[in-house]
Amino acid sequence: MIIDAHVHVGVSTAYNFSANADDLLRLADENGIDKLFVTDFTALVHDMREGNDTLGKAIRRHPDRLLGYVSIPTMNFDNGALEEIDRCVHEYGMRGIKIYSYPMIPLVRPSVFPVLERAASHRMPILAHSTGEECEVMASRVPEAFLMMAHSGNTALARGDWLRAVQAAERNPSLLLETASSAVNNGSLEYTISRIGAERVIFGTDMPLLEVSVQMARVSGAAISQAEKDLIFGGNMARMLACKA
Amino acid sequence: MTVWDVSGFVGAWGYWPLKERTASDVVALMDANGIERAVVGSTRALQSDWRLGNDDVLAAAASSAGRLIPFVTIDSTLPANADLLSDYAAVGAKGVRCYPSMHYNTTPQQLEPLCAAAQANGLVVTLVMRPIMDWSFAVAAVGPFEYLFTQYPEVQFVLHGMNYGEETWNGIRLNNKHPNVWLETSCLQGLGGIAQLVAQADTDRILLGVGIPLQYPACGIAKLEKAGISASAREAIAHLNARRLFAAAR
């Protein structure tokens, strides 16, 4: 089973994409992806509750294909985030949390830790668009959380420093690395697995921003075993989701 | 599908552990991924010694039985260096790669002697916005260099390294405006990027870039294989356009 752990739904004027749930599922079908773990763009950058509701309704239409992240803007960490997490779990059965760091609004601040703790209490994975340094702080402070570093450092925010991401994961056994990125550095996945094991690498595409076939090929074309590919493509996420609170 | 990669490299790599360093390593990687020929520049010339880098890449090509097509790099801060291009052409160089984002002193005006020499010697000029799609590298703005496309109309310019969004739109604009501007795909990672190029740019001037051995070959090839374009467009991008470009080059 292939589970894409990094999917956006909605309209982004900033990134020039627009995709509803049906668009995403068509892309998934074209690429052999079974389930999509989705964050709503409106919830992340505009209106938390409106966006999470939109995603929740899409999940109700496609309960076998869509998994939902409760998206929490940083400004909401101490302004209704915990209630929103509980609401989306109970109303829509959302299974994860998405948080996002910006250069001017970094997510590591005192108010992020209760969010991580609430995620841990629900056994919800957290997809954090962040840096290696930020993930070190969060993973060491709340090691019981399933913290996934979106893009594994391959972002402008993290200066493309995926080696730093690997080092952060080596020092923090609870930290997982998610694969989606424009960067396709040859040997990076093999090196990552040699340092932290395939059990802590999670497949994602960042659709509909990035070309899905490229993100698939990064894993399928890597010089690693089929068992390792299976873990990355979905086995690891399935194992996390099987952990009940 | 026959594949040519117009965006390859050869040499040691100082940024992360990489197995493929030599010409034979690169050719073996090409064989494993079905790549028939690759245009290569020297990794040494990216930030270290361009003269030794050119020696590296020419030697690599000479040992490859025609599989590697060498591009050299010139320090353009001294106009007299451009005169070396004819010497490099005489020993097999097919083009020159310019790295304004890596060679921080480069101005468009400094590239004029290089472009003139390329025009005189029938060499392709690759203008590299970023060498590979890695967020740790700076990105060059192409705008200030645009007048060179008009000033040297016989030179075929390859824009190397554009990614999604405004970079794609700008590349398409330049391709449409200047008949001597070609686009390559090694850093083009947006959803449906190649289909967008085919729809909006001149398909006959789109080149497959993979970026071996610095980028995963499977990624660069998959985006073309899966692109929603015609079979003829796919073949043109995969290798036919590159064949035509280098057949025209002396």
Side-chain angles (χ1 to χ4, degrees):
Chain A
M1 171 183 290
I2 297 179
I3 304 173
D4 182 347
H6 193 150
V7 179
H8 295 275
V9 68
V11 176
S12 169
T13 307
Y15 287 103
N16 189 42
F17 68 69
S18 173
N20 61 30
D22 293 330
D23 297 328
L24 296 172
L25 287 171
R26 178 173 42 77
L27 278 172
D29 290 341
E30 289 171 359
N31 289 277
I33 298 172
D34 299 290
K35 291 180 183 287
L36 304 178
F37 216 146
V38 184
T39 172
D40 184 277
F41 206 74
T42 294
L44 206 54
V45 300
H46 180 63
D47 186 311
M48 176 176 74
R49 187 168 177 128
E50 176 192 320
N52 286 329
D53 279 336
T54 301
L55 174 59
K57 290 167 187 168
I59 292 170
R60 284 177 176 161
R61 291 196 302 275
H62 305 284
D64 297 332
R65 302 292 304 279
L66 300 184
L67 300 156
Y69 288 111
V70 187
S71 297
I72 308 289
T74 304
M75 62 163 277
N76 290 104
F77 284 172
D78 54 2
N79 183 24
L82 304 185
E83 295 81 2
E84 180 69 356
I85 293 168
D86 292 345
R87 184 182 77 85
C88 291
V89 168
H90 294 127
E91 284 193 27
Y92 302 117
M94 290 194 188
R95 303 296 304 274
I97 291 171
K98 174 69 186 280
I99 53 180
Y100 202 109
S101 203
Y102 299 89
M104 303 305 290
I105 316 173
L107 58 77
V108 171
R109 55 189 67 213
S111 55
V112 77
F113 300 119
V115 173
L116 303 180
E117 289 162 355
R118 184 60 57 94
S121 72
H122 284 300
R123 310 301 288 168
M124 300 167 81
I126 304 143
L127 184 62
H129 183 107
S130 55
T131 66
E133 292 85 349
E134 290 177 319
C135 283
E136 288 237 47
V137 173
M138 292 188 288
S140 60
R141 177 75 175 262
V142 190
E144 64 272 26
F146 295 137
L147 183 64
M148 303 185 293
M149 183 179 180
H151 311 295
S152 303
N154 284 308
T155 62
L157 174 77
R159 308 171 309 281
D161 195 350
W162 60 270
L163 288 168
R164 180 70 180 83
V166 173
Q167 291 164 357
E170 284 185 287
R171 281 195 287 271
N172 294 277
S174 64
L175 180 61
L176 302 105
L177 302 180
E178 180 267 330
T179 61
S181 177
S182 288
V184 289
N185 298 342
N186 185 22
S188 58
L189 189 56
E190 293 86 339
Y191 178 82
T192 299
I193 289 171
S194 76
R195 303 304 292 244
I196 67 169
E199 295 78 6
R200 289 203 280 143
V201 181
I202 303 292
F203 169 69
T205 66
D206 206 4
M207 73 164 78
L209 177 62
L210 297 182
E211 173 57 41
V212 179
S213 63
V214 170
Q215 303 305 316
M216 298 282 290
R218 175 204 309 279
V219 179
S220 62
I224 58 178
S225 71
Q226 186 58 50
E228 290 169 328
K229 292 176 186 177
D230 291 343
L231 286 173
I232 294 167
F233 269 134
N236 293 331
M237 180 60 81
R239 190 179 67 245
M240 271 195 291
L241 294 175
C243 293
K244 299 293 185 186
Chain B
M1 182 172 73
T2 301
V3 170
W4 284 31
D5 172 14
V6 302
S7 308
F9 292 87
V10 67
W13 187 239
Y15 294 87
W16 69 84
L18 186 72
K19 288 191 302 185
E20 296 85 3
R21 299 166 61 101
T22 67
S24 59
D25 293 338
V26 173
V27 170
L29 188 65
M30 292 164 63
D31 289 340
N33 290 276
I35 300 173
E36 184 178 288
R37 297 186 73 178
V39 173
V40 290
S42 165
T43 55
R44 190 195 299 272
L46 268 177
Q47 292 206 71
S48 181
D49 188 320
W50 59 277
R51 293 174 191 270
L52 289 178
N54 292 339
D55 292 345
D56 291 346
V57 79
L58 291 164
S63 71
S64 71
R67 302 286 300 282
L68 303 179
I69 301 169
F71 269 43
V72 293
T73 294
I74 305 280
D75 177 356
S76 58
T77 54
L78 294 177
N81 286 339
D83 295 341
L84 296 172
L85 211 49
S86 60
D87 298 336
Y88 285 126
V91 293
K94 296 299 182 187
V96 57
R97 279 190 185 162
C98 305
Y99 297 96
S101 68
M102 306 291 290
H103 302 162
Y104 297 113
N105 295 321
T106 304
T107 66
Q109 291 71 32
Q110 287 168 336
L111 293 187
E112 290 178 12
L114 205 58
C115 292
Q119 187 160 275
N121 289 279
L123 297 179
V124 174
V125 173
T126 296
L127 192 58
V128 180
M129 300 170 65
R130 54 164 70 81
I132 58 172
M133 187 50 243
D134 184 302
W135 292 103
S136 66
F137 289 121
V139 185
V142 179
F145 296 86
E146 183 179 350
Y147 78 93
L148 297 171
F149 308 151
T150 303
Q151 189 161 315
Y152 301 98
E154 294 174 35
V155 174
Q156 302 304 307
F157 289 92
V158 177
L159 289 188
H160 173 131
M162 65 180 180
N163 196 359
Y164 48 65
E166 67 176 17
E167 294 179 15
T168 304
W169 301 328
N170 198 37
I172 290 169
R173 180 185 68 80
L174 293 169
N175 175 276
N176 286 328
K177 184 175 176 182
H178 302 281
N180 58 339
V181 170
W182 303 58
L183 307 176
E184 68 82 49
T185 63
S186 65
C187 300
L188 184 70
Q189 308 295 36
L191 180 67
I194 286 183
Q196 182 184 0
L197 293 190
V198 169
Q200 298 176 10
D202 181 354
T203 303
D204 290 338
R205 283 183 284 123
I206 303 171
L207 303 162
L208 177 65
V210 175
I212 60 160
L214 306 183
Q215 301 195 138
Y216 281 118
C219 294
I221 295 170
K223 81 177 89 163
L224 179 60
E225 286 181 331
K226 298 280 189 179
I229 58 177
S230 69
S232 60
R234 201 180 323 276
E235 283 294 307
I237 296 167
H239 68 107
L240 294 178
N241 291 343
R243 288 178 194 275
R244 196 175 72 255
L245 174 62
F246 291 110
R250 279 176 234 158

